[in-house]
Amino acid sequence: MKKYLIIVLAFMAVACKQNHEDEHAHNADGSHVGEETPRLDYTLWTDNTELFVEFPALIVGQSSRFAAHFTVLDKHQPVREGSVTVSLIKGDKGLRTTADAPSSPGIFSPTIQPKEAGVHQLVFDLSTPQYSDNIVIEDVMVYANFEEAKKAIGNAGGEAPISFLKEQAWKIDFQTAQVTKGEIYDVITSSGVWQPAQGSVKTMVATANGTVNFTTTNLTEGMEVKQDQLLLNVSSQGLANNNLSAEVASAKAKFNQAQSEYSRKKELYESKIIPKSEFEKVESNYAIAKSQYQSIASGVSGGSKQIRAPFNGFIRTVNVSNGDYVDQGAVLISVATDESKVLKSQVAPTYGLTMKNIKGMWYQTELDNWKNISDSEGEILSISRDVERENPLISVFAKVNDVITVPDGSLTQVQIAMGDGEQTTLVPESALLEDYGNYSVVLQLGGESFERRPITIGKRNGKNVEVLKGLKVGDVVVTTGAYQVKMASMSGTTPAHGHDH
């Protein structure tokens, strides 16, 4: 009995010793078994690119695998092609590794193994078929061992931010922008009406008597046309009087006769056989005959006068039907272009608006899409000086050199800037979230970390809004897709921060 008891006690001692050793088992980097190396993340922006990179803390002798998310800021899309070279530099020495292609769209996964502890510089060189970029992270620490890294980095505390992964953002209409410093003006909010600009509408008239023949069965109002496109012709074939072919033949005969007389008299004049006055009379007759012939023959083909589009645009009006007989000078069609418009708005004279104190004008072509007339080199044309009893307002006319596809006579919202501009903090109006008169924005704290930030706003100038409180210059806010981020914060689930790729 004692023998069996000794054996059991021996087994228990061995088990206790094994458990004690397991509690103190270490990984190769010095961490306890089951402990994860602390992770770091950085978010940096250039003019073209956003880099959000996650990686385990850099420890001497240990490999760290990066999850480098590269986003093209224009349209906020992932980098799908190219390579990334990562350099870890200390003084004049360093390590370099290259990922020749993304491991998945937008994500490059190079691995680096530091050799020396201390403060380093981490450099990312991005090369794509479209452009190249260089992004530098200063003062990146390489730790001597796990314990040192754990002590220095520790565990992040505080309230968890909204998590919205890059893979989510890349799949939706998403955009961010930096809070900037810029000018803001006092504005007059009004409405405007679109009118055709000078020269943007061309009326085509019949230059001869005849029958109208459409060259296409779809010659209707609103139809797009190209410059020099044949739209219709006016034919006088079969007419006893005012026959175009006969008129062309007659004009040509007169021109040939005048040309012959001009050539003959010119030789006599140069030989000083006839006086200058006689030659000038012949020269005048020749010029008139030439002009008349060219005018009648211009655009004539097969006995018909051709009517062509004067520029790229659309059919504004059709004043005749196919087969109608028209007299010379009759209005046939009009062609217009959307590339230039006049915007007329009206304001109260009490604002004291003048050509000297007006600073600009914003308009909308569609809901919430503000544009400045200066963006397309437009200009304020004039401000009326008189008012009528029935309509006690003054009119402001502005030329807009932009493609305005809405019909003439359509209304749009207008903001007119006046006075002296004030330098202030600006955020795009599209970034605003409104709840019962209170405003907030979705602020990007890091690549995949966001928070909803209450703000106080001031003046509005077209696309931009003055921020009086809540943001500073350089902050990055979501301008498109803020609602989706807001909904992610209300979903009750938080995606893992250090996700693998």
Side-chain angles (χ1 to χ4, degrees), residues 38-44 51-57 66-69 122 124 137 140 153 156 161 444-449 497-499:
R39 297 182 66 85
L40 300 171
D41 65 84
Y42 293 86
T43 306
L44 295 95
L51 167 63
F52 166 60
V53 59
E54 299 175 296
F55 56 93
F66 294 87
H69 305 64
L122 193 58
F124 292 82
I137 305 177
V140 176
I153 300 174
Q444 185 175 13
L445 304 175
E448 297 177 333
S449 301
H497 173 68
H499 49 280

Side-chain angles (χ1 to χ4, degrees), residues 12-303:
M12 291 177 62
V14 171
C16 290
K17 180 180 180 182
Q18 183 65 45
N19 289 339
H20 185 72
E21 289 178 352
D22 287 346
E23 289 176 0
H24 293 84
H26 288 75
N27 293 315
D29 62 359
S31 63
H32 295 300
V33 172
E35 286 191 89
E36 184 179 356
T37 303
R39 297 182 66 85
L40 300 171
D41 65 84
Y42 293 86
T43 306
L44 295 95
W45 292 266
T46 68
D47 292 338
N48 300 311
T49 313
E50 176 196 297
L51 167 63
F52 166 60
V53 59
E54 299 175 296
F55 56 93
L58 301 178
I59 300 173
V60 174
Q62 303 302 315
S63 295
S64 289
R65 183 171 179 261
F66 294 87
H69 305 64
F70 285 91
T71 302
V72 181
L73 290 179
D74 182 24
K75 300 182 181 179
H76 208 87
Q77 287 298 298
V79 172
R80 301 180 187 276
E81 296 181 85
S83 63
V84 169
T85 297
V86 180
S87 303
L88 185 63
I89 304 170
K90 182 181 181 183
D92 57 356
K93 296 184 296 182
L95 303 172
R96 177 175 295 175
T97 184
T98 298
D100 294 322
S103 55
S104 60
I107 303 173
F108 293 80
S109 305
T111 300
I112 204 163
Q113 187 175 10
K115 295 181 179 180
E116 184 180 352
V119 177
H120 289 66
Q121 188 182 63
L122 193 58
V123 181
F124 292 82
D125 288 300
L126 171 68
S127 177
T128 75
Q130 291 75 35
Y131 73 100
S132 297
D133 216 337
N134 174 267
I135 304 174
V136 180
I137 305 177
E138 301 285 356
D139 301 329
V140 176
M141 179 63 71
V142 174
Y143 300 96
N145 52 55
F146 172 84
E147 293 296 338
E148 184 179 313
K150 181 181 178 182
K151 182 178 179 181
I153 300 174
N155 296 318
E159 184 178 350
I162 303 170
S163 181
F164 197 73
L165 304 184
K166 284 298 174 190
E167 290 87 339
Q168 294 175 276
W170 290 335
K171 291 177 181 179
I172 65 172
D173 192 9
F174 193 86
Q175 194 68 55
T176 60
Q178 285 194 346
V179 179
T180 59
K181 199 85 170 176
E183 282 190 326
I184 202 84
Y185 293 90
D186 290 323
V187 298
I188 304 169
T189 301
S190 182
S191 63
V193 60
W194 292 110
Q195 299 179 343
Q198 184 73 24
S200 65
V201 178
K202 178 74 172 179
T203 300
M204 317 295 289
V205 301
T207 53
N209 301 333
T211 303
V212 175
N213 297 307
F214 289 177
T215 58
T216 174
T217 57
N218 297 322
L219 191 63
T220 55
E221 293 181 4
M223 180 184 117
E224 291 189 3
V225 296
K226 300 295 184 182
Q227 185 173 359
D228 292 329
Q229 179 181 339
L230 181 61
L231 304 177
L232 53 85
N233 58 58
V234 179
S235 174
S236 61
Q237 291 183 357
L239 298 179
N241 298 320
N242 299 319
N243 187 284
L244 183 59
S245 298
E247 290 181 3
V248 172
S250 175
K252 184 178 182 181
K254 292 179 180 178
F255 167 64
N256 290 338
Q257 183 180 4
Q259 187 178 38
S260 177
E261 180 72 5
Y262 169 75
S263 298
R264 188 172 65 84
K265 292 291 186 179
K266 184 178 180 181
E267 291 180 1
L268 294 175
Y269 171 68
E270 290 175 348
S271 300
K272 298 183 180 180
I273 297 176
I274 61 172
K276 182 178 181 181
S277 58
E278 184 177 345
F279 171 69
E280 287 178 342
K281 182 178 180 180
V282 172
E283 186 178 38
S284 176
N285 291 337
Y286 165 67
I288 293 172
K290 181 179 180 181
S291 177
Q292 289 177 340
Y293 170 63
Q294 289 177 339
S295 176
I296 294 174
S298 175
V300 174
S301 177

